[in-house]
Amino acid sequence: VIADYADVPHILARQRLLEALLKQPEPRRNGEPLTDLARRKIEARLARRSTLGQVAEARLDDWHNLAVGKPAPEIKGIDVHGKPLTLSDYRGKVVALVFWGTWCGPCMREIPREKALVERMKGRPFAMLGVDADADAGAARKVMEAQGVAWPNWHDGEAGEGPIAKLYHVRGYPTVYVIDALGKIRSK
């Protein structure tokens, strides 16, 4: 695939739906007329389309480097409060690494279970870490405060587009990795 189809666009069904929406004479989303801002966001998303070669390379990297038993890729970034946060600082602890966003219903429904897990593991070598996929870190901060989320969270930008999500090849939300005390992936 990489050698023969590297430059062929990788087109998903939802992208076809967005293309069709933009071609309508008076596009509407959720019953409301499409705003200029929403149109620009859709156009920008469609412009970032991957090729089959890029998708194949990512899948190969996923199989070879993100497999259970492999070292978890290092994450160095900024948390939702603008402070540095590094994955290797949690070496020696089992880490639950959760990719989430405030716009993701299943992600929000998991928060009570995640809070219960953090409470149950209190005093043990365990850390819950999040990777927020909101365009605006302020949205994540508000939800975290309202929901009582006290564990550290990186701010990674828009879903699937941030450097951490790309490093871990996140294709859906929520995505959870369990990393052991030696820094190896044990579950995904």
Side-chain angles (χ1 to χ4, degrees), residues 10-72:
H10 179 249
I11 302 171
L12 301 171
R14 68 177 177 259
Q15 292 169 329
R16 291 267 190 232
L17 292 172
L18 291 173
E19 288 172 340
L21 174 70
L22 294 179
K23 289 179 182 175
Q24 294 176 2
E26 294 180 26
R28 299 177 81 74
R29 196 168 200 187
N30 299 325
E32 297 291 322
L34 195 64
T35 65
D36 287 337
L37 176 62
R39 176 181 286 280
R40 286 194 302 273
K41 283 185 176 183
I42 291 170
E43 289 169 345
R45 181 179 296 163
L46 291 173
R48 292 189 303 259
R49 184 176 292 156
S50 301
T51 65
L52 288 178
Q54 290 169 324
V55 171
E57 285 175 346
R59 298 278 167 91
L60 283 173
D61 184 56
D62 194 43
W63 292 336
H64 295 294
N65 298 314
L66 292 172
V68 170
K70 295 286 187 176

